[in-house]
Amino acid sequence: MSFTFQPIRVATGFDEEGTMVLDGEQRLVAVLVRLSDANEVAPGQWYLEAGFGRIDGGSHPTFSNLDLAQDWIGERVAHRSSN
């Protein structure tokens, strides 16, 4: 599955560097925020701030890069589509 990443600032109160994740139909499926290098839990990682549709749920993982985030989102979409 193909996704588009579109940079955006996110008003989290801390880390603002973000990206919107759009599916092949240009629908918003997730918002990721890059945690600052000063973050104590996962410095420099990408955090799933919000998921929509098939990505919505209790899990808010972090990813070391956007490729891994894309893989995780793709697996969630594929898994939910097959159910």
Side-chain angles (χ1 to χ4, degrees):
M1 172 158 277
S2 172
F3 297 99
T4 301
F5 290 81
Q6 184 173 8
I8 190 167
R9 289 181 58 204
V10 182
T12 64
F14 310 106
D15 306 309
E16 292 192 352
E17 180 184 351
T19 188
M20 295 187 299
V21 183
L22 308 170
D23 69 8
E25 297 179 28
Q26 294 301 293
R27 295 178 298 188
L28 180 63
V29 295
V31 175
L32 301 168
V33 173
R34 186 183 174 281
L35 302 174
S36 75
D37 291 335
N39 182 285
E40 294 179 7
V41 177
Q45 300 231 351
W46 289 91
Y47 171 73
L48 177 66
E49 185 70 36
F52 306 98
R54 297 177 180 141
I55 310 303
D56 190 17
S59 179
H60 289 268
T62 58
F63 308 95
S64 59
N65 59 58
L66 292 176
D67 289 335
L68 292 174
Q70 178 171 282
D71 291 346
W72 184 87
I73 291 168
E75 288 172 12
R76 299 274 301 192
V77 169
H79 175 73
R80 299 276 171 111
S81 294
S82 64
N83 288 339

